[in-house]
């Protein structure tokens, strides 16, 4: 009856055991299958690596993962993947390799035929050769080292995947995965919000009425559990499980794992939502007056403080691909922000009613939004066009590492999946889950590297099994669920060294290191303008009109005209400065009044 | 001569006649004989046809020189062929016009040239001779009056025919030893018959050399081509392949040692003597033998050592004796000697020492200036002074005078330096004197007085305005005036300060008076206080006053109640003075004119109120100000009233603000928002009303902001509007055209935007300057194409992104080289 597959990941990367028991219930066939992930975008070393693991990030070959995985830790990766022997597919590995090589080559090289410079041509050709070699090696390594495949629910005949209940799934999975399905009932301290650490090992839960808890999901024991006796609106982990930030009634606080309050971030105001940009070490928040704050948590400096001018917002989501923070507003607009500009990078009108939830695909090209207009829309962020519009409300949305989309409203959760064909972005229903009536779901979040969906609701939180949602192979360079203390320490240092400056957040991170667009005209200096005016060629006119004296006078006029514009500018600057000086001269007690009036 | 010539010309005709007669054979041969002999000879050998001659001879009895017949006509040796004259003879009297040509025709060989010459003559009209040149020379007549010699060459030589050949030279040598050899050589040379060219000029020769060298070296270099090409194409060049770091051990270095210096060589010769090496090779016994030293040597050494020891001992003794001398005179003299000797010798020799000495001197001077050690400040000097100089003996007086002299000596340099400066120097000297005095206060007073006087002088000083030149121009005058006014203002301020300071200093004992004085500047409060109570002198720190009037009032009242003591007030007042000074220094008094402040009306009201305290003196043209300037004698009722009104205004303002703030606070700091309230519900209900239109509008706004719309063309108001023609015509066409182009440009820009076709999206086109730093401004050097550059950068190179097998080659530098190893030139390897 029971079939389970255990795989070990590590240096050996060999299949240790493989019990295969033919199931009598033909209704559920869990099939082993290799799924390809084709990434069409190209990467850049400086690009903001997505917070999800390397396997969403095509830049990283698995070689390192194998080399640095310290112990061949055995774990069950894909709980419900059961195999039916007869259905075993023979895979075309050569095809597979080609695709992978392409992925690791990150696009085509430039056409060298057109190049005239022989030396450069030779150099570039050499480079290309090396790139190809590297890509080949990486693809091979991936093939041999990353053998764990993601799970899948496969129906047979007229069966539908969404008919499988959690009870039926849990019967099929191995014991280790079975413990991923649990409910914790905490009815008193209000709707819970959850956050996972990037390796998926620790969970942070925050009850609205002041309950904060960190849980180790491997041992299923709370690391720390305490109450702040104040409204807690949101809580996020910082770069590791040792620190987390909680948005409380008046201020945001940073606690450590032991529950000690380390910092009180007063500048953020009464924060509604928090997000942490882990490559930049920025904590971003949106408060109830619609101000967006960015604070560097390593230096404590406020990097950006911007007024969204779109009213109160409860929705703030980070795009893991480019670290652009996106907020949803009551006017149905969604605006994307970077820490260094006061205006949004992109402003989109997504819904006719207020936006209730936003989620991003780990590859950064898909955005899902939900609105009060009873629609869930999936957007392609490369074209800013809708790919799909689904009916229904959603209080929260979440994309999994493998691209499953979960949406929930009330006590109902549904999980959507793209149809089988590779290029299709059409999301269809994959699973549904209904909680007890009266449970109001507050937040759902896929757990990284596990086929688990965490649900925070009004009376506690629960986790359900969603086969095929998590990334089966982890890269210990990026996130290691089995991290030791020493590794964690080392990683902290490494990550701090690799910290990116806030300005590197941009819509297209591949733009870093490329040639700047020269479209923008530099502001002309006075001297340049005058010189240009002097050099204006004078048209030959009728007799007498282009006398040298006249021409000279005309030129002089032109120069004067140009100068005049600059004089006005200078005067403006002077006036501004003067005003500022005057304000600063005032005694401290009077200053606030002046600024208010001045505005 | 002329006769002979004529004969010569005639002769041929005669001779030709004779030839016609066919008597050429009978022509005399042999030596020229006298007639008598000839006759006799003829009789002996009778010749025919000689009758005529005889006849003629007979006819002419006199001796006549007979010219020799020219050789060509004499037909000697048959060198000239006999030619029969078959031609038609012209009559004798016939005269040809062109004689020259006639003559020429006879000779056929020249005919071509002649023709050519004639042709030239015909064409040019010049005589033919002009063209001939050389040919004429051949006609030179040579007289053989002298025997042939090197001074009188024969005709052949002149013509160039009779060259002297080698054979001619050789012939006399015939039969001499070595002749055959020479002859053989000559023959050989003849056979080869190669003429040797003269050497080329030097530059040409060099050029040729270079060319050939180039060809050669080119060929040589081509051998390297393949090697160079290989290196050029290689992504990495290694330079450490055949490296030779050198010796690896100390032993190796030692073994390679070669003596170089004299000493080393000597040592080496000693060490490497045969005996020694043999001794080493054998057992050590022989080495001991070699160690033996002669008795004499040892003795010599002992003697030397003993001598040295003795000397040392004596020196020691001497030093001890000298050390025990207690005489100060001796010491002084010794020191002097030492110094002198040192300075005399060393300074001349050693610049370093000189410098040190100079420094020492300078230090001494500085010390003197600081301590005034030699200015009768010592206890001894003071005592002497007290007792009176007259009472002292000559020695003491001399000592004192010497001391003073020394002081003068040490401080002289400074004085000399400062002497040429202006009067300000005096004051500094005064200062110095003052500082020397014990009485600080007095000095300060004096100082202040000085300052005051100086400023007064400045104030009173009437600047004589130039009556002509640039400075007399009206605007310059105005500027000067303004400047002067400002300066005066400042001066007055300074004066005020001085006064207050002085008064403070004066009135150290009576503080009450002081309070009233210092209060002058902070008149606003002071005036109010004055009527209230004379005794209630209050704390008037500017800062405090600035804060707000109402507070001040409160403080006043409080103080009233408390009845503070006056001794505290004094201190506070001094404080206020200092503070004021600081504040004045802080905001440059010249730049802050009152006008500016009064212009900025709205938010500056509070400031205005506080102003009287700090900058009261600057308010010119203001009644208040003038009042103040006049001082406290005037009644201040009106001022008080004004102030009060000001205060009221201010109060009301602040109230209003406060209210505003309150209202804001109410709005912003509402209770914590938990559940959707009624308000929220309503907002939500209406938010989606016309979302799209709102969005359109915002988009338009942003577009206008980023690509601003061109301004509508307008005429200057009033310009051309006083007739109806202009109105009818409308705007000038160029304005319209300009507007049109600007509009078009904007439209194009808008179309280029990425969100041009997306109604629901606004993509900001603003450039983030900080993010721009992460991009390159120009293409790096070897790249000419953006695409090539960007594509070549697409792969990350870090170890996290590449397999370990390729990471090395991906990141290898262009040149791999071990440090410390020199790069040798390319070596051609023969295969």
């Amino acid at each position: 009856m029971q079939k389970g597959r255990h795989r070990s990941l590590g240096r050996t990367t060999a299949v240790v055991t493989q019990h295969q028991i033919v199931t009598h219930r033909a209704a559920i066939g869990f099939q082993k299958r290799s799924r390809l992930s084709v990434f069409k975008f190209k990467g850049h070393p400086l690009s903001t690596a997505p917070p999800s693991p390397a396997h969403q990030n095509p830049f990283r070959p698995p070689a390192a993962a194998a080399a640095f995985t310290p112990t061949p830790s055995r774990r069950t990766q894909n709980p419900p993947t059961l195999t039916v022997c007869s259905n075993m597919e023979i895979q075309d590995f050569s095809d597979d390799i080609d695709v992978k090589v392409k992925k690791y080559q990150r696009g085509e090289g430039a056409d060298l035929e057109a190049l005239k410079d022989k030396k450069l041509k030779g150099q570039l050709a050499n480079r290309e050769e090396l790139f190809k070699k590297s890509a080949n090696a990486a693809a091979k390594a991936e093939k041999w080292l990353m053998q764990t495949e993601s799970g899948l629910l496969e129906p047979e005949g007229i069966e539908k995947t969404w008919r499988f209940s959690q009870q039926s799934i849990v019967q099929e999975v191995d014991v280790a995965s079975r413990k991923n399905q649990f409910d914790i009932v905490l009815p008193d301290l209000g709707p819970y919000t959850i956050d996972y650490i990037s390796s998926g090992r620790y969970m942070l839960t925050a009850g609205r009425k002041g309950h904060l808890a960190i849980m180790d999901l491997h041992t299923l024991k709370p690391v720390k559990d305490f109450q702040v006796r104040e409204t807690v609106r949101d809580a996020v982990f910082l770069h590791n499980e040792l620190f987390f930030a909680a948005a409380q009634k008046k201020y945001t606080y940073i606690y450590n794992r032991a529950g000690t309050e380390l910092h009180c971030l007063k500048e953020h105001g009464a924060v509604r939502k928090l997000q942490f940009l882990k490559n930049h070490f920025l904590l971003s928040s949106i408060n109830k007056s619609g101000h967006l704050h960015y604070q560097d948590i390593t230096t404590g400096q406020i990097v950006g403080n911007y007024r969204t001018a779109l009213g109160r917002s409860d929705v703030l989501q980070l795009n893991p691909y480019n670290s652009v923070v996106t907020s949803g507003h009551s006017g149905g607009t969604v605006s994307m922000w970077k820490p260094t500009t006061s205006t949004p990078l992109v402003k989109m009108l997504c819904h006719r009613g207020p936006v209730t939830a936003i989620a991003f695909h780990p590859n950064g090209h898909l955005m899902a939004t939900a609105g009060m207009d009873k629609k869930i829309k999936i957007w392609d962020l490369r074209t800013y066009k809708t790919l799909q519009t689904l009916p229904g409300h959603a209080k929260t949305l979440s994309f999994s590492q493998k691209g499953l989309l979960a949406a929930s409203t009330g006590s109902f959760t549904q999980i959507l999946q793209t149809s089988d064909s590779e290029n299709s972005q059409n999301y269809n229903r994959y699973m549904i889950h209904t909680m007890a009536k009266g449970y109001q779901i507050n937040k759902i979040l896929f757990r990284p590297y596990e086929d688990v969906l965490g649900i925070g609701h009004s009376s506690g939180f629960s986790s359900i099994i969603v086969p095929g949602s998590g990334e089966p192979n982890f890269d210990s360079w990026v996130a290691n669920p089995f991290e030791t203390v020493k590794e964690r320490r080392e990683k902290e240092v490494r990550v701090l060294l690799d910290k990116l400056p806030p300005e590197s957040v941009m819509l297209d991170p591949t733009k870093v290191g490329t040639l700047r667009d020269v479209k923008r005209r530099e502001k002309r200096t006075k001297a340049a303008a005058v010189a240009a005016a002097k050099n204006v060629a004078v048209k030959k006119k009728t007799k007498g009109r282009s006398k040298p004296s006249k021409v000279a006078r005309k030129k002089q006029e032109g120069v004067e005209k140009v100068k005049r514009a600059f004089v006005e500018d200078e005067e403006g600057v002077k006036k501004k400065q003067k005003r500022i000086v005057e304000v600063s001269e005032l005694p401290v007690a009077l200053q606030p009044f002046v600024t208010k009036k001045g505005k | 001569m002329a006769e002979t010539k004529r004969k010569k010309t005639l002769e041929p005709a005669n001779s030709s006649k004779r030839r016609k007669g066919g008597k050429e054979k009978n022509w005399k041969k042999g030596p020229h004989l006298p007639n008598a002999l000839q006759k006799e000879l003829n009789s002996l050998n009778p010749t025919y046809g000689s009758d005529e001659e005889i006849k003629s001879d007979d006819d002419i009895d006199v001796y006549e020189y007979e010219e020799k017949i020219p050789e060509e006509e004499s037909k000697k040796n048959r060198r000239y062929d006999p030619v029969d004259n078959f031609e038609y003879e012209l009559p004798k009297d016939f005269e040809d016009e062109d004689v020259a040509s006639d003559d020429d025709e006879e000779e056929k060989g020249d005919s071509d040239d002649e023709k050519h010459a004639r042709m030239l003559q015909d064409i040019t009209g010049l005589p033919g001779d002009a063209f001939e040149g050389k040919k004429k020379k051949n006609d030179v007549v040579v007289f053989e009056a002298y025997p042939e010699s090197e001074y009188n060459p024969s005709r052949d030589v002149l013509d160039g025919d009779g060259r002297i050949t080698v054979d001619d030279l050789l012939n006399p040598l015939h039969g001499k030893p070595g002749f055959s050899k020479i002859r053989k050589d000559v023959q050989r040379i003849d056979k080869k018959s190669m003429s040797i060219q003269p050497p080329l000029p030097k530059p040409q020769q060099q050029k040729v050399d270079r060319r050939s060298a180039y060809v050669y070296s080119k060929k040589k270099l081509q051998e390297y081509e393949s090697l160079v090409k290989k290196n050029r194409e290689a992504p990495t060049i290694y330079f450490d392949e055949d490296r030779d770091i050198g010796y690896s051990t100390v032993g190796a270095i030692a073994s390679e040692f070669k003596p170089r210096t004299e000493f080393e060589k000597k040592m080496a010769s000693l060490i490497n003597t045969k005996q020694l090496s043999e001794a080493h090779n054998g057992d050590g016994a022989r080495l001991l033998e070699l160690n033996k030293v002669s008795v004499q040597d040892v003795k010599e050494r002992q003697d030397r050592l003993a001598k040295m020891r003795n000397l040392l001992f004596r020196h020691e003794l001497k030093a001890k004796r000298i050390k025990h001398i207690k005489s100060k005179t001796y010491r002084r003299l010794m020191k002097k000697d030492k110094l002198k000797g040192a300075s005399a010798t060393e300074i001349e020799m050693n610049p370093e020492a000189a410098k040190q000495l100079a420094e020492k001197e300078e230090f001494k001077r500085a010390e003197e200036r600081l301590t005034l050690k030699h200015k009768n400040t010592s206890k001894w000097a003071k005592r002497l002074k007290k007792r009176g100089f007259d009472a002292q003996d000559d020695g003491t007086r001399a000592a004192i005078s010497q001391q003073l002299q020394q002081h003068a000596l040490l401080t002289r340099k400074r004085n000399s330096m400062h002497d040429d400066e202006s009067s300000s120097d005096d004051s500094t000297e005064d200062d110095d004197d003052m500082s020397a005095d014990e009485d600080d206060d007095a000095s300060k007073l004096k100082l202040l007085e000085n300052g005051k006087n100086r400023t007064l002088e400045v104030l009173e000083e009437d600047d004589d305005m130039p009556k002509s030149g640039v400075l007399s121009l009206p605007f310059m005058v105005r500027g000067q005036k303004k400047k002067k006014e400002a300066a005066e203002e400042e001066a007055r301020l300074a004066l005020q300060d001085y006064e207050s300071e002085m008064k403070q200093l004066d009135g150290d004992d009576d503080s009450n008076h002081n309070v009233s004085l210092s209060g002058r500047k902070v008149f606003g409060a002071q005036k109010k206080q004055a009527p209230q109570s004379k005794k209630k002198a209050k704390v008037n720190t500017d800062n405090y006053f600035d804060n707000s009037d109402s507070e001040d009032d409160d403080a006043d009242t409080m103080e009233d109640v408390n009845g503070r003591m006056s001794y505290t007030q004094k201190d506070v007042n001094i404080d206020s003075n200092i503070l004021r000074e600081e504040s004045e220094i802080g905001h440059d008094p010249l730049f802050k004119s009152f006008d500016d402040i009064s212009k900025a009306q709205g938010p500056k009201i509070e400031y205005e109120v506080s102003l009287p305290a700090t900058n009261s003196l600057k308010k010119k043209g203001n009644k208040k100000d003038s009042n103040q300037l006049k001082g406290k004698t005037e009644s201040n009722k009106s001022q008080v009233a004004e102030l009060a009104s000001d205060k009221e205004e201010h109060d009301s303002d602040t109230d209003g603000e406060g209210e505003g703030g309150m209202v804001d606070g109410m709005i912003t700091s509402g209770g914590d928002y938990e559940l959707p309230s009624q308000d929220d519900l309503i907002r939500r209900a209406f938010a989606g009303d016309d979302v799209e239109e709102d969005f359109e509008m915002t988009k338009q706004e942003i577009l206008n902001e980023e690509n601003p719309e061109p301004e509508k063309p307008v005429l200057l108001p009033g310009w051309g509007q006083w007739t109806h023609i202009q109105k009818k015509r409308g705007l000038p066409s160029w304005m319209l055209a300009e507007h049109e182009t600007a509009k078009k440009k904007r439209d194009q820009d808008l179309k280029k935007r990425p969100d041009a076709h997306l109604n629901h999206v606004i993509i900001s086109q603003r450039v983030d300057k900080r993010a721009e730093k992460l991009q390159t401004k120009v293409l790096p050097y070897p790249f000419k194409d953006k695409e090539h550059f960007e594509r070549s950068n697409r792969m990350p190179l870090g170890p996290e992104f590449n397999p370990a097998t390729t990471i090395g080659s991906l990141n290898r530098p262009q040149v791999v080289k071990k440090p410390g190893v020199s790069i040798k030139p390319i070596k051609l390897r023969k295969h």
Side-chain angles (χ1 to χ4, degrees), chain A residues 280-392:
Chain A
H280 306 263
F281 281 86
L282 295 177
L283 184 68
S284 70
S285 70
I286 191 153
N287 64 14
K288 64 183 177 192
S289 53
H291 281 264
L292 192 68
H293 288 263
Y294 286 93
Q295 185 162 23
D296 190 328
I297 62 150
T298 55
T299 61
Q301 194 187 3
I302 293 278
V303 172
N305 172 12
Y306 307 117
R307 192 170 143 262
T308 56
L310 291 165
R312 184 179 298 188
S313 168
D314 261 344
V315 186
L316 190 72
Q317 189 62 43
L318 178 77
N319 184 346
Y321 168 60
N322 52 16
S323 295
V324 168
V325 163
T326 307
S327 60
H329 303 274
S330 60
T333 53
V334 158
S335 48
M336 301 183 182
W337 300 84
K338 67 180 287 186
T340 50
T341 51
S342 57
T343 47
L345 294 170
V346 176
K347 216 187 223 179
M348 292 170 75
L349 180 67
C350 293
H351 293 277
R352 302 202 50 126
V355 177
T356 54
I358 301 173
F360 285 96
H361 195 282
N363 72 9
H365 297 157
L366 287 185
M367 176 174 75
T369 59
M372 296 285 254
D373 57 351
K374 214 185 169 190
K375 270 171 191 155
I376 297 170
K377 287 182 179 177
I378 294 165
W379 301 82
D380 188 344
L381 289 182
R382 289 166 291 191
T383 58
Y384 300 103
K385 281 176 183 161
T386 340
L387 289 175
Q388 203 180 355
T389 308
L390 300 156

Side-chain angles (χ1 to χ4, degrees), chain B residues 372-373 375-387 400 403:
Chain B
L372 300 174
K373 197 175 165 189
K375 225 202 149 195
N376 296 346
T377 48
S378 66
K379 211 173 174 184
W380 168 75
K382 270 181 191 163
R383 219 180 100 241
L384 284 184
K385 237 200 305 185
K386 221 181 196 176
R387 286 172 69 191
I400 287 173
Q403 212 180 26

Side-chain angles (χ1 to χ4, degrees), chain B residues 262-281:
Chain B
E262 276 295 309
F263 177 71
E264 278 173 0
K265 274 173 190 162
K266 221 181 240 173
M267 289 296 289
S269 69
L270 280 175
I271 288 165
N272 298 329
T273 48
K274 215 175 181 184
Q275 285 179 328
L276 213 64
S277 55
E278 268 174 16
H280 263 291
N281 290 337

Side-chain angles (χ1 to χ4, degrees), chain B residues 465-480:
Chain B
M465 290 286 183
K467 299 288 184 292
S468 64
V470 182
L471 287 173
S472 68
L473 288 170
F475 67 91
M476 288 300 265
V477 168
R478 248 181 283 137
Q480 286 279 357

Side-chain angles (χ1 to χ4, degrees), chain B residues 196-440:
Chain B
I196 292 163
Q197 295 291 332
L200 281 171
K202 206 179 178 191
Q204 235 166 355
Q205 181 63 44
Q206 280 172 344
K207 202 173 165 186
V208 171
D209 286 352
R210 281 201 300 270
R211 192 175 295 152
S212 57
Y214 171 69
V215 170
Y216 173 76
S217 55
K218 199 174 159 191
K219 205 184 275 173
K220 261 279 186 211
L221 276 179
Q222 267 170 358
E223 292 171 4
Y224 285 89
E225 210 165 58
S226 61
L227 196 63
V228 170
K229 191 159 180 270
K230 209 179 88 193
N231 276 348
R232 249 182 219 165
E233 283 169 355
T236 308
I237 305 173
Y238 299 88
F239 281 118
D240 58 343
E241 277 177 323
D242 45 355
R243 71 208 168 83
D244 182 19
I245 294 290
Y247 311 111
S248 54
T249 61
V250 180
I253 296 167
S255 70
E256 288 291 311
F257 174 75
K258 265 177 197 161
R260 274 170 302 182
T261 59
E262 276 295 309
F263 177 71
E264 278 173 0
K265 274 173 190 162
K266 221 181 240 173
M267 289 296 289
S269 69
L270 280 175
I271 288 165
N272 298 329
T273 48
K274 215 175 181 184
Q275 285 179 328
L276 213 64
S277 55
E278 268 174 16
H280 263 291
N281 290 337
D283 58 341
R286 281 219 11 108
L287 274 177
L288 284 176
E289 279 172 30
L290 287 172
N291 272 350
K292 268 180 186 167
V293 190
S294 71
V295 178
Q296 201 159 4
D297 277 358
V298 171
K299 198 156 186 243
E300 245 174 42
R301 189 161 173 274
Q302 273 176 350
D303 282 353
R304 206 173 65 236
L305 282 175
K307 196 182 172 191
M308 292 304 285
R309 231 177 276 136
N310 205 359
L311 278 175
L312 266 177
F313 176 66
R314 273 157 170 259
H315 188 77
E316 210 171 302
L317 273 184
K318 200 182 173 189
K320 231 177 220 172
R321 191 169 51 83
I322 288 170
K323 200 189 162 196
H324 278 299
I325 296 171
K326 285 180 178 166
S327 158
K328 275 186 181 171
T329 338
Y330 174 77
R331 291 285 164 214
R332 207 176 56 236
L333 288 174
M334 278 296 279
K335 206 176 168 189
K336 223 178 215 173
D337 272 1
K338 212 172 155 189
L339 267 175
K340 224 182 238 172
S343 61
T345 53
E346 252 180 74
I347 287 165
E348 275 172 28
M349 303 297 287
N350 195 357
E352 196 71 12
K355 202 178 153 193
Q356 262 180 7
L357 194 85
E359 242 167 54
K360 214 185 251 172
E361 295 269 284
E362 189 58 39
F363 181 78
K364 252 191 195 164
R365 245 203 300 277
E367 201 182 21
E368 176 60 31
R369 260 181 279 146
L370 272 173
T371 58
L372 300 174
K373 197 175 165 189
H374 295 101
K375 225 202 149 195
N376 296 346
T377 48
S378 66
K379 211 173 174 184
W380 168 75
K382 270 181 191 163
R383 219 180 100 241
L384 284 184
K385 237 200 305 185
K386 221 181 196 176
R387 286 172 69 191
F389 287 115
D390 297 336
Q392 305 307 320
D393 55 347
D394 284 352
T396 324
R397 243 179 287 168
I400 287 173
S401 70
Q402 198 192 348
Q403 212 180 26
L404 282 174
Q405 202 182 349
Q406 197 164 5
H407 173 77
L409 206 75
L410 286 169
T411 51
R412 190 172 57 193
K413 195 177 184 192
R414 184 198 64 151
N415 287 340
S416 71
M417 253 164 65
H418 288 275
D419 269 346
D420 49 354
E421 271 184 24
S422 65
S423 60
S424 70
D425 189 42
D426 299 350
S427 70
T428 57
E429 273 176 26
D430 288 354
D431 287 357
D432 282 353
D433 289 350
M434 234 46 98
S435 63
D437 287 347
E438 292 100 336
D439 197 351
D440 272 272

Side-chain angles (χ1 to χ4, degrees), chain A residues 127 134 233 331 340 347 593, chain B residues 657 672 691 762 768 802 810:
Chain A
R127 279 284 71 189
S134 173
R233 296 199 194 84
T340 50
K347 216 187 223 179
F593 300 104
Chain B
E657 276 169 14
D672 198 47
V691 177
I762 307 165
D768 184 7
N802 287 293
L810 272 171

Side-chain angles (χ1 to χ4, degrees), chain A residues 169-225:
Chain A
I169 289 170
V170 83
Q171 281 168 8
E172 302 297 331
V173 300
D174 56 322
V175 182
S177 299
R178 212 173 278 170
K179 71 172 187 197
N180 282 332
Q181 202 187 50
F182 60 85
D183 269 315
I184 293 179
V185 181
L186 300 160
D188 295 333
L189 296 172
Y192 278 86
T193 173
I194 54 172
D195 189 34
Y196 288 110
I197 197 81
S198 60
S199 68
R201 177 161 181 182
Y202 295 95
M203 179 169 75
L204 173 69
T205 57
R208 177 93 179 168
K209 289 179 185 130
H211 182 206
L212 288 168
I214 303 178
M215 216 170 113
D216 185 348
L217 293 173
H218 285 187
T219 59
L220 283 182
K221 277 176 189 163
V223 175
K224 182 68 193 177
D225 166 35

